Amino acid sequence: MKDVADRAGVSQMTVSSILNGQGSYRDATKRAVMAAIEELGYTPNLAAKRLASAADNRIGVLLLTPATPYMLAVVTAAVEASGNLAAQLQIERWTSLTDAFLAVRKLLAAGTRGVIVPPPLSASTQLLDMIAASGAIPVSIAPGGAPPAAHSCVWIDDEAATAEMTSWLVGMGHRRIAFITGDPEHASTGFRLEGYRRAMEAAGIDPSDQLVVQGDYKWKSGLEAAEMLLGQADRPTAIFAGNDDMAAAVLSFAHGKGISVPDELSVVGFDDTVLATAVWPKITTVKQPVEQMVQLGAEILLKELQSGRKSPKIVHRQLDFTIMARESAAPPR
Amino acid sequence: MKDVADRAGVSQMTVSSILNGQGSYRDATKRAVMAAIEELGYTPNLAAKRLASAADNRIGVLLLTPATPYMLAVVTAAVEASGNLAAQLQIERWTSLTDAFLAVRKLLAAGTRGVIVPPPLSASTQLLDMIAASGAIPVSIAPGGAPPAAHSCVWIDDEAATAEMTSWLVGMGHRRIAFITGDPEHASTGFRLEGYRRAMEAAGIDPSDQLVVQGDYKWKSGLEAAEMLLGQADRPTAIFAGNDDMAAAVLSFAHGKGISVPDELSVVGFDDTVLATAVWPKITTVKQPVEQMVQLGAEILLKELQSGRKSPKIVHRQLDFTIMARESAAPPR
DNA sequence: CTGAAAGCGCTTACAG
DNA sequence: CTGAAAGCGCTTACAG
């Protein structure tokens, strides 16, 4: 950076300001600096930046293992976000709910000042409270439908999302639409189911045509639900699985059964994880903007950490979901 | 760290030495320091450590998007390794082979001095050469069977692995064992197939009983292969898929078809990614120690970077694979 | 076996 | 609109 400053004929501080888009400077100065950067092939040293910036920039993320595709998306997003924000990221793994609390303790002991809490932990008021009580700041990611009042949160409206997807299916002409619920322990489960019900009702579809099978977000439960739903004579024309893992399982089952998707059966999911596009046909699903959610969560954390406030300002940010129309859904025959 | 030193009545440097296990110090000193750390709840600042350590500690990793489960394992491992080694990690995404080269250029432009190259790029001598030519150091991860002579590499013996798994299946009593190959573009594909063939031959199994179907490591190809293999009258009693994604597809197809796994059909995979345990029944597979491989790769890079050598010392490290016996394989009926 | 001091490459009040 | 200088929290030759 010093070399750049010398070459551009300015001070190091000016280079820093320009690089960070702060303060004011003349256009000519900026051009000179940019040119020098180009010529020298300069690239900032992230470690120095992290060190020189506010001291309180250690954030952590809780990683459920064995990792689901969704969790891996969260972690990758956290890595990118910490790069963008010059934060120090610490990843702590957990497996059972008991060691989730242990993992939090480790994180805190390691100096983490803010923690990104993805589902299903993000809906645990108890865990969020514990983090806050210890003096660190939690930010809840996608806690389902209703953000925790006492803590910051980034979320999408799960209920509206399943409602919209269901209506979309109805609009295509489907009436016998089945729904596979998620893990009852997850807060999102109830909201997603509710959205489905609401849309079905709004479409004036006979409740007896509403086929709801309980799942738990895992592949196996999707398989079992598919067996139940597709084994009977009067099959649904569409199956809405509460997440992509279960949708993928339904897809596979249908294949083996010789039921063509989407010709004879539409299958849709939720989340838009890697699975949705790894599988064939690609799954039509609700995209949760995980990267953006985590990035925003990290920003909230860092801003709060650097504000020096005694008690954190609670911020709730709701983001938009998107229906990703792909190949697994079509009008019924 | 200064506080710890003061409390323990030693210098900061002594604390540093003890923390890093370098130099020599009295046991009593160490105890005093440890006690001070405990009392103060001290935790090292990684950013400072990275900055103060050798300057050349920027390493990068190439991430194929959309990410496969295997790729995500690589990235998570890279994040952990960079934490352990106090290195700066830069992640660059690529999608097609052309932008793989672009991604490398970006990485190099960003100051990366060493790059971890996972499959399928790890077998591309051209890409490895390009990295080396630019003055950075490549380390090839799992390039298949034969490590690139000119570059450092961490690998497992894919051929020996499929041979061992095949023999294990034979030992259970299987004779009609099918094999689904991977993407012909990947170096591992040939080696894995060769291991299967070798073991089948060694078992004295009639070549006409050897069913080889071409796949490409993707789920869809596993599905198609399953259709071909299980659609015919004289079905194999076991299917060895070249990776877990294809094995999962076979599993699902069999389910729909009403073929019970492992009772009527054994299915095994390769890699041991999240998919292997997400699915049901859990897949018996060859575990590739990805975390360890990536950690080792990062270590090789950092050691070389800090050696100050003009031309890098080439190191090839072969690690052991493990057969993970789970629920998808059993003796034939 | 232990320490004083310089340096890693940035950012940030504070001046001008 | 721009700069001099201190400081972030570590590591590392070099001495003793």
Side-chain angles (χ1 to χ4, degrees), chain B residues 159-198:
Chain B
E159 184 176 333
T162 47
E164 187 171 323
M165 177 67 99
T166 306
S167 300
W168 187 70
L169 251 17
V170 169
M172 274 182 174
H174 291 282
R175 295 192 70 80
R176 275 184 70 72
I177 304 172
F179 188 82
I180 308 175
T181 67
D183 185 341
E185 299 282 309
H186 288 219
S188 58
T189 298
F191 292 102
R192 293 185 186 177
L193 175 58
E194 202 40 47
Y196 158 80
R197 285 217 170 108
R198 198 176 77 196

mmCIF file of all heavy atoms in Angstrom, chain B residues 159-198:
data_model
loop_
_atom_site.group_PDB
_atom_site.id
_atom_site.type_symbol
_atom_site.label_atom_id
_atom_site.label_comp_id
_atom_site.label_asym_id
_atom_site.label_seq_id
_atom_site.Cartn_x
_atom_site.Cartn_y
_atom_site.Cartn_z
ATOM 1 N N GLU B 159 -7.608 -46.867 -7.447
ATOM 2 C CA GLU B 159 -7.700 -48.207 -8.022
ATOM 3 C C GLU B 159 -7.712 -49.268 -6.920
ATOM 4 O O GLU B 159 -8.542 -50.176 -6.920
ATOM 5 C CB GLU B 159 -6.526 -48.440 -8.978
ATOM 6 C CG GLU B 159 -6.622 -49.771 -9.682
ATOM 7 C CD GLU B 159 -5.504 -49.967 -10.707
ATOM 8 O OE1 GLU B 159 -4.998 -48.962 -11.239
ATOM 9 O OE2 GLU B 159 -5.140 -51.124 -10.962
ATOM 10 N N ALA B 160 -6.810 -49.115 -5.969
ATOM 11 C CA ALA B 160 -6.760 -50.076 -4.865
ATOM 12 C C ALA B 160 -8.064 -50.046 -4.082
ATOM 13 O O ALA B 160 -8.548 -51.072 -3.597
ATOM 14 C CB ALA B 160 -5.581 -49.755 -3.958
ATOM 15 N N ALA B 161 -8.637 -48.853 -3.977
ATOM 16 C CA ALA B 161 -9.876 -48.711 -3.204
ATOM 17 C C ALA B 161 -11.045 -49.453 -3.845
ATOM 18 O O ALA B 161 -11.760 -50.203 -3.179
ATOM 19 C CB ALA B 161 -10.213 -47.229 -3.041
ATOM 20 N N THR B 162 -11.239 -49.249 -5.149
ATOM 21 C CA THR B 162 -12.351 -49.966 -5.788
ATOM 22 C C THR B 162 -12.077 -51.462 -5.817
ATOM 23 O O THR B 162 -12.989 -52.265 -5.700
ATOM 24 C CB THR B 162 -12.634 -49.477 -7.232
ATOM 25 O OG1 THR B 162 -11.419 -49.394 -7.944
ATOM 26 C CG2 THR B 162 -13.329 -48.126 -7.216
ATOM 27 N N ALA B 163 -10.804 -51.808 -5.948
ATOM 28 C CA ALA B 163 -10.466 -53.238 -5.948
ATOM 29 C C ALA B 163 -10.829 -53.837 -4.594
ATOM 30 O O ALA B 163 -11.459 -54.900 -4.529
ATOM 31 C CB ALA B 163 -8.974 -53.422 -6.238
ATOM 32 N N GLU B 164 -10.500 -53.140 -3.539
ATOM 33 C CA GLU B 164 -10.779 -53.683 -2.209
ATOM 34 C C GLU B 164 -12.283 -53.790 -1.957
ATOM 35 O O GLU B 164 -12.763 -54.789 -1.430
ATOM 36 C CB GLU B 164 -10.120 -52.810 -1.140
ATOM 37 C CG GLU B 164 -10.246 -53.429 0.242
ATOM 38 C CD GLU B 164 -9.417 -52.687 1.288
ATOM 39 O OE1 GLU B 164 -8.299 -52.225 0.950
ATOM 40 O OE2 GLU B 164 -9.901 -52.558 2.430
ATOM 41 N N MET B 165 -12.997 -52.766 -2.343
ATOM 42 C CA MET B 165 -14.440 -52.790 -2.151
ATOM 43 C C MET B 165 -15.075 -53.915 -2.971
ATOM 44 O O MET B 165 -15.968 -54.631 -2.495
ATOM 45 C CB MET B 165 -15.035 -51.436 -2.570
ATOM 46 C CG MET B 165 -16.542 -51.358 -2.485
ATOM 47 S SD MET B 165 -17.195 -51.441 -0.793
ATOM 48 C CE MET B 165 -17.467 -49.694 -0.478
ATOM 49 N N THR B 166 -14.610 -54.086 -4.188
ATOM 50 C CA THR B 166 -15.135 -55.146 -5.047
ATOM 51 C C THR B 166 -14.864 -56.518 -4.421
ATOM 52 O O THR B 166 -15.753 -57.376 -4.363
ATOM 53 C CB THR B 166 -14.503 -55.060 -6.452
ATOM 54 O OG1 THR B 166 -14.695 -53.756 -6.962
ATOM 55 C CG2 THR B 166 -15.120 -56.076 -7.395
ATOM 56 N N SER B 167 -13.656 -56.706 -3.965
ATOM 57 C CA SER B 167 -13.303 -57.989 -3.342
ATOM 58 C C SER B 167 -14.163 -58.247 -2.116
ATOM 59 O O SER B 167 -14.535 -59.393 -1.818
ATOM 60 C CB SER B 167 -11.834 -57.968 -2.905
ATOM 61 O OG SER B 167 -11.007 -57.757 -4.006
ATOM 62 N N TRP B 168 -14.459 -57.190 -1.422
ATOM 63 C CA TRP B 168 -15.278 -57.311 -0.211
ATOM 64 C C TRP B 168 -16.678 -57.803 -0.593
ATOM 65 O O TRP B 168 -17.251 -58.665 0.057
ATOM 66 C CB TRP B 168 -15.326 -55.922 0.434
ATOM 67 C CG TRP B 168 -15.966 -55.841 1.777
ATOM 68 C CD1 TRP B 168 -15.470 -56.338 2.945
ATOM 69 C CD2 TRP B 168 -17.209 -55.207 2.080
ATOM 70 N NE1 TRP B 168 -16.333 -56.038 3.966
ATOM 71 C CE2 TRP B 168 -17.412 -55.347 3.473
ATOM 72 C CE3 TRP B 168 -18.151 -54.528 1.325
ATOM 73 C CZ2 TRP B 168 -18.522 -54.832 4.119
ATOM 74 C CZ3 TRP B 168 -19.268 -54.007 1.977
ATOM 75 C CH2 TRP B 168 -19.445 -54.172 3.354
ATOM 76 N N LEU B 169 -17.180 -57.255 -1.680
ATOM 77 C CA LEU B 169 -18.486 -57.680 -2.194
ATOM 78 C C LEU B 169 -18.416 -59.154 -2.625
ATOM 79 O O LEU B 169 -19.326 -59.944 -2.343
ATOM 80 C CB LEU B 169 -18.843 -56.802 -3.392
ATOM 81 C CG LEU B 169 -19.947 -55.728 -3.363
ATOM 82 C CD1 LEU B 169 -20.378 -55.324 -1.978
ATOM 83 C CD2 LEU B 169 -19.526 -54.504 -4.172
ATOM 84 N N VAL B 170 -17.327 -59.502 -3.297
ATOM 85 C CA VAL B 170 -17.135 -60.883 -3.733
ATOM 86 C C VAL B 170 -17.087 -61.796 -2.516
ATOM 87 O O VAL B 170 -17.704 -62.856 -2.487
ATOM 88 C CB VAL B 170 -15.833 -61.014 -4.562
ATOM 89 C CG1 VAL B 170 -15.496 -62.482 -4.780
ATOM 90 C CG2 VAL B 170 -15.974 -60.287 -5.892
ATOM 91 N N GLY B 171 -16.381 -61.348 -1.509
ATOM 92 C CA GLY B 171 -16.257 -62.128 -0.279
ATOM 93 C C GLY B 171 -17.607 -62.393 0.378
ATOM 94 O O GLY B 171 -17.805 -63.403 1.064
ATOM 95 N N MET B 172 -18.548 -61.512 0.154
ATOM 96 C CA MET B 172 -19.891 -61.692 0.702
ATOM 97 C C MET B 172 -20.692 -62.703 -0.102
ATOM 98 O O MET B 172 -21.766 -63.129 0.327
ATOM 99 C CB MET B 172 -20.662 -60.366 0.608
ATOM 100 C CG MET B 172 -20.438 -59.430 1.751
ATOM 101 S SD MET B 172 -21.495 -57.998 1.442
ATOM 102 C CE MET B 172 -21.234 -57.117 2.977
ATOM 103 N N GLY B 173 -20.185 -63.018 -1.287
ATOM 104 C CA GLY B 173 -20.892 -63.989 -2.109
ATOM 105 C C GLY B 173 -21.422 -63.430 -3.421
ATOM 106 O O GLY B 173 -22.006 -64.149 -4.219
ATOM 107 N N HIS B 174 -21.238 -62.140 -3.648
ATOM 108 C CA HIS B 174 -21.720 -61.567 -4.906
ATOM 109 C C HIS B 174 -20.831 -61.995 -6.074
ATOM 110 O O HIS B 174 -19.616 -62.108 -5.939
ATOM 111 C CB HIS B 174 -21.714 -60.034 -4.825
ATOM 112 C CG HIS B 174 -22.740 -59.487 -3.875
ATOM 113 N ND1 HIS B 174 -24.072 -59.380 -4.185
ATOM 114 C CD2 HIS B 174 -22.628 -59.054 -2.589
ATOM 115 C CE1 HIS B 174 -24.737 -58.878 -3.156
ATOM 116 N NE2 HIS B 174 -23.874 -58.678 -2.158
ATOM 117 N N ARG B 175 -21.454 -62.241 -7.216
ATOM 118 C CA ARG B 175 -20.684 -62.506 -8.426
ATOM 119 C C ARG B 175 -21.133 -61.576 -9.558
ATOM 120 O O ARG B 175 -20.322 -61.082 -10.320
ATOM 121 C CB ARG B 175 -20.802 -63.976 -8.843
ATOM 122 C CG ARG B 175 -20.172 -64.908 -7.791
ATOM 123 C CD ARG B 175 -20.004 -66.319 -8.278
ATOM 124 N NE ARG B 175 -18.982 -66.450 -9.300
ATOM 125 C CZ ARG B 175 -17.674 -66.509 -9.042
ATOM 126 N NH1 ARG B 175 -17.222 -66.429 -7.798
ATOM 127 N NH2 ARG B 175 -16.805 -66.641 -10.024
ATOM 128 N N ARG B 176 -22.412 -61.375 -9.648
ATOM 129 C CA ARG B 176 -22.899 -60.429 -10.667
ATOM 130 C C ARG B 176 -22.879 -59.029 -10.054
ATOM 131 O O ARG B 176 -23.850 -58.561 -9.483
ATOM 132 C CB ARG B 176 -24.317 -60.790 -11.126
ATOM 133 C CG ARG B 176 -24.307 -61.841 -12.244
ATOM 134 C CD ARG B 176 -25.682 -62.132 -12.782
ATOM 135 N NE ARG B 176 -26.281 -61.045 -13.562
ATOM 136 C CZ ARG B 176 -25.892 -60.680 -14.778
ATOM 137 N NH1 ARG B 176 -24.875 -61.299 -15.354
ATOM 138 N NH2 ARG B 176 -26.499 -59.721 -15.414
ATOM 139 N N ILE B 177 -21.728 -58.397 -10.194
ATOM 140 C CA ILE B 177 -21.536 -57.058 -9.632
ATOM 141 C C ILE B 177 -21.406 -56.075 -10.779
ATOM 142 O O ILE B 177 -20.514 -56.211 -11.618
ATOM 143 C CB ILE B 177 -20.248 -57.002 -8.779
ATOM 144 C CG1 ILE B 177 -20.306 -58.086 -7.678
ATOM 145 C CG2 ILE B 177 -20.064 -55.622 -8.175
ATOM 146 C CD1 ILE B 177 -19.020 -58.242 -6.903
ATOM 147 N N ALA B 178 -22.296 -55.101 -10.811
ATOM 148 C CA ALA B 178 -22.223 -54.106 -11.882
ATOM 149 C C ALA B 178 -21.396 -52.916 -11.421
ATOM 150 O O ALA B 178 -21.217 -52.687 -10.212
ATOM 151 C CB ALA B 178 -23.622 -53.647 -12.262
ATOM 152 N N PHE B 179 -20.878 -52.181 -12.370
ATOM 153 C CA PHE B 179 -20.095 -50.989 -12.026
ATOM 154 C C PHE B 179 -20.550 -49.817 -12.886
ATOM 155 O O PHE B 179 -20.691 -49.947 -14.100
ATOM 156 C CB PHE B 179 -18.600 -51.254 -12.258
ATOM 157 C CG PHE B 179 -17.719 -50.145 -11.750
ATOM 158 C CD1 PHE B 179 -17.367 -50.078 -10.397
ATOM 159 C CD2 PHE B 179 -17.244 -49.151 -12.610
ATOM 160 C CE1 PHE B 179 -16.564 -49.050 -9.908
ATOM 161 C CE2 PHE B 179 -16.439 -48.123 -12.136
ATOM 162 C CZ PHE B 179 -16.102 -48.074 -10.776
ATOM 163 N N ILE B 180 -20.810 -48.684 -12.227
ATOM 164 C CA ILE B 180 -21.183 -47.478 -12.974
ATOM 165 C C ILE B 180 -19.982 -46.542 -12.957
ATOM 166 O O ILE B 180 -19.516 -46.126 -11.893
ATOM 167 C CB ILE B 180 -22.389 -46.768 -12.327
ATOM 168 C CG1 ILE B 180 -23.543 -47.767 -12.125
ATOM 169 C CG2 ILE B 180 -22.835 -45.592 -13.189
ATOM 170 C CD1 ILE B 180 -24.729 -47.174 -11.386
ATOM 171 N N THR B 181 -19.486 -46.234 -14.135
ATOM 172 C CA THR B 181 -18.266 -45.416 -14.199
ATOM 173 C C THR B 181 -18.587 -43.936 -13.999
ATOM 174 O O THR B 181 -19.737 -43.515 -14.066
ATOM 175 C CB THR B 181 -17.571 -45.552 -15.570
ATOM 176 O OG1 THR B 181 -18.421 -44.953 -16.562
ATOM 177 C CG2 THR B 181 -17.326 -46.996 -15.920
ATOM 178 N N GLY B 182 -17.519 -43.152 -13.765
ATOM 179 C CA GLY B 182 -17.682 -41.714 -13.583
ATOM 180 C C GLY B 182 -17.542 -40.966 -14.888
ATOM 181 O O GLY B 182 -17.559 -41.566 -15.977
ATOM 182 N N ASP B 183 -17.373 -39.695 -14.757
ATOM 183 C CA ASP B 183 -17.186 -38.814 -15.900
ATOM 184 C C ASP B 183 -15.853 -39.137 -16.580
ATOM 185 O O ASP B 183 -14.811 -39.124 -15.940
ATOM 186 C CB ASP B 183 -17.162 -37.366 -15.369
ATOM 187 C CG ASP B 183 -17.082 -36.348 -16.486
ATOM 188 O OD1 ASP B 183 -16.689 -36.707 -17.608
ATOM 189 O OD2 ASP B 183 -17.415 -35.185 -16.217
ATOM 190 N N PRO B 184 -15.892 -39.437 -17.880
ATOM 191 C CA PRO B 184 -14.644 -39.791 -18.575
ATOM 192 C C PRO B 184 -13.607 -38.666 -18.518
ATOM 193 O O PRO B 184 -12.419 -38.913 -18.684
ATOM 194 C CB PRO B 184 -15.084 -40.039 -20.018
ATOM 195 C CG PRO B 184 -16.563 -39.989 -20.044
ATOM 196 C CD PRO B 184 -17.076 -39.510 -18.737
ATOM 197 N N GLU B 185 -14.077 -37.460 -18.228
ATOM 198 C CA GLU B 185 -13.162 -36.318 -18.151
ATOM 199 C C GLU B 185 -12.349 -36.320 -16.848
ATOM 200 O O GLU B 185 -11.350 -35.632 -16.742
ATOM 201 C CB GLU B 185 -13.950 -34.998 -18.203
ATOM 202 C CG GLU B 185 -14.750 -34.800 -19.472
ATOM 203 C CD GLU B 185 -13.868 -34.366 -20.632
ATOM 204 O OE1 GLU B 185 -13.119 -33.401 -20.452
ATOM 205 O OE2 GLU B 185 -13.915 -35.021 -21.698
ATOM 206 N N HIS B 186 -12.857 -37.040 -15.867
ATOM 207 C CA HIS B 186 -12.155 -37.075 -14.585
ATOM 208 C C HIS B 186 -11.120 -38.194 -14.584
ATOM 209 O O HIS B 186 -11.412 -39.314 -15.011
ATOM 210 C CB HIS B 186 -13.135 -37.319 -13.445
ATOM 211 C CG HIS B 186 -14.011 -36.149 -13.141
ATOM 212 N ND1 HIS B 186 -14.355 -35.782 -11.869
ATOM 213 C CD2 HIS B 186 -14.608 -35.247 -13.945
ATOM 214 C CE1 HIS B 186 -15.134 -34.715 -11.898
ATOM 215 N NE2 HIS B 186 -15.311 -34.379 -13.163
ATOM 216 N N ALA B 187 -9.966 -37.875 -14.060
ATOM 217 C CA ALA B 187 -8.891 -38.853 -14.031
ATOM 218 C C ALA B 187 -9.232 -40.051 -13.161
ATOM 219 O O ALA B 187 -8.825 -41.184 -13.447
ATOM 220 C CB ALA B 187 -7.612 -38.201 -13.536
ATOM 221 N N SER B 188 -10.006 -39.818 -12.111
ATOM 222 C CA SER B 188 -10.309 -40.916 -11.193
ATOM 223 C C SER B 188 -11.113 -42.023 -11.861
ATOM 224 O O SER B 188 -11.020 -43.192 -11.480
ATOM 225 C CB SER B 188 -11.085 -40.390 -9.993
ATOM 226 O OG SER B 188 -12.280 -39.766 -10.429
ATOM 227 N N THR B 189 -11.905 -41.635 -12.856
ATOM 228 C CA THR B 189 -12.805 -42.584 -13.512
ATOM 229 C C THR B 189 -12.109 -43.862 -13.986
ATOM 230 O O THR B 189 -12.542 -44.970 -13.670
ATOM 231 C CB THR B 189 -13.524 -41.885 -14.688
ATOM 232 O OG1 THR B 189 -14.297 -40.828 -14.146
ATOM 233 C CG2 THR B 189 -14.417 -42.839 -15.436
ATOM 234 N N GLY B 190 -11.039 -43.688 -14.714
ATOM 235 C CA GLY B 190 -10.323 -44.831 -15.251
ATOM 236 C C GLY B 190 -9.742 -45.709 -14.151
ATOM 237 O O GLY B 190 -9.830 -46.937 -14.206
ATOM 238 N N PHE B 191 -9.190 -45.072 -13.145
ATOM 239 C CA PHE B 191 -8.572 -45.834 -12.063
ATOM 240 C C PHE B 191 -9.595 -46.643 -11.274
ATOM 241 O O PHE B 191 -9.361 -47.787 -10.906
ATOM 242 C CB PHE B 191 -7.797 -44.903 -11.133
ATOM 243 C CG PHE B 191 -6.580 -44.312 -11.776
ATOM 244 C CD1 PHE B 191 -6.581 -43.011 -12.251
ATOM 245 C CD2 PHE B 191 -5.432 -45.084 -11.937
ATOM 246 C CE1 PHE B 191 -5.459 -42.476 -12.865
ATOM 247 C CE2 PHE B 191 -4.295 -44.552 -12.543
ATOM 248 C CZ PHE B 191 -4.314 -43.243 -13.013
ATOM 249 N N ARG B 192 -10.729 -46.015 -11.043
ATOM 250 C CA ARG B 192 -11.759 -46.731 -10.286
ATOM 251 C C ARG B 192 -12.273 -47.945 -11.066
ATOM 252 O O ARG B 192 -12.459 -49.016 -10.518
ATOM 253 C CB ARG B 192 -12.900 -45.769 -9.915
ATOM 254 C CG ARG B 192 -12.448 -44.715 -8.925
ATOM 255 C CD ARG B 192 -13.563 -43.807 -8.414
ATOM 256 N NE ARG B 192 -12.962 -42.748 -7.582
ATOM 257 C CZ ARG B 192 -13.627 -41.739 -7.024
ATOM 258 N NH1 ARG B 192 -14.934 -41.637 -7.189
ATOM 259 N NH2 ARG B 192 -13.004 -40.838 -6.284
ATOM 260 N N LEU B 193 -12.478 -47.740 -12.336
ATOM 261 C CA LEU B 193 -12.942 -48.845 -13.176
ATOM 262 C C LEU B 193 -11.899 -49.962 -13.195
ATOM 263 O O LEU B 193 -12.223 -51.148 -13.068
ATOM 264 C CB LEU B 193 -13.188 -48.336 -14.602
ATOM 265 C CG LEU B 193 -13.569 -49.409 -15.637
ATOM 266 C CD1 LEU B 193 -14.819 -50.156 -15.197
ATOM 267 C CD2 LEU B 193 -13.769 -48.781 -17.018
ATOM 268 N N GLU B 194 -10.652 -49.572 -13.319
ATOM 269 C CA GLU B 194 -9.580 -50.546 -13.386
ATOM 270 C C GLU B 194 -9.522 -51.397 -12.115
ATOM 271 O O GLU B 194 -9.319 -52.606 -12.162
ATOM 272 C CB GLU B 194 -8.241 -49.820 -13.593
ATOM 273 C CG GLU B 194 -7.158 -50.669 -14.196
ATOM 274 C CD GLU B 194 -7.663 -51.583 -15.297
ATOM 275 O OE1 GLU B 194 -8.417 -51.096 -16.171
ATOM 276 O OE2 GLU B 194 -7.326 -52.781 -15.278
ATOM 277 N N GLY B 195 -9.728 -50.766 -10.979
ATOM 278 C CA GLY B 195 -9.710 -51.500 -9.710
ATOM 279 C C GLY B 195 -10.814 -52.546 -9.665
ATOM 280 O O GLY B 195 -10.612 -53.684 -9.219
ATOM 281 N N TYR B 196 -11.964 -52.155 -10.141
ATOM 282 C CA TYR B 196 -13.099 -53.085 -10.199
ATOM 283 C C TYR B 196 -12.750 -54.279 -11.082
ATOM 284 O O TYR B 196 -12.890 -55.448 -10.690
ATOM 285 C CB TYR B 196 -14.318 -52.331 -10.735
ATOM 286 C CG TYR B 196 -15.401 -53.185 -11.343
ATOM 287 C CD1 TYR B 196 -16.321 -53.856 -10.540
ATOM 288 C CD2 TYR B 196 -15.502 -53.309 -12.731
ATOM 289 C CE1 TYR B 196 -17.320 -54.628 -11.102
ATOM 290 C CE2 TYR B 196 -16.497 -54.076 -13.299
ATOM 291 C CZ TYR B 196 -17.404 -54.741 -12.495
ATOM 292 O OH TYR B 196 -18.394 -55.501 -13.062
ATOM 293 N N ARG B 197 -12.236 -53.972 -12.256
ATOM 294 C CA ARG B 197 -11.910 -55.045 -13.204
ATOM 295 C C ARG B 197 -10.874 -56.004 -12.634
ATOM 296 O O ARG B 197 -11.000 -57.221 -12.742
ATOM 297 C CB ARG B 197 -11.354 -54.434 -14.498
ATOM 298 C CG ARG B 197 -12.426 -53.799 -15.359
ATOM 299 C CD ARG B 197 -12.115 -54.031 -16.838
ATOM 300 N NE ARG B 197 -13.237 -53.632 -17.670
ATOM 301 C CZ ARG B 197 -13.242 -52.543 -18.448
ATOM 302 N NH1 ARG B 197 -12.186 -51.744 -18.481
ATOM 303 N NH2 ARG B 197 -14.304 -52.277 -19.187
ATOM 304 N N ARG B 198 -9.866 -55.420 -12.041
ATOM 305 C CA ARG B 198 -8.769 -56.219 -11.493
ATOM 306 C C ARG B 198 -9.312 -57.194 -10.445
ATOM 307 O O ARG B 198 -8.987 -58.373 -10.440
ATOM 308 C CB ARG B 198 -7.751 -55.277 -10.850
ATOM 309 C CG ARG B 198 -6.406 -55.908 -10.643
ATOM 310 C CD ARG B 198 -5.441 -54.877 -10.106
ATOM 311 N NE ARG B 198 -5.663 -54.618 -8.691
ATOM 312 C CZ ARG B 198 -5.175 -53.572 -8.040
ATOM 313 N NH1 ARG B 198 -4.461 -52.664 -8.688
ATOM 314 N NH2 ARG B 198 -5.399 -53.426 -6.759
#
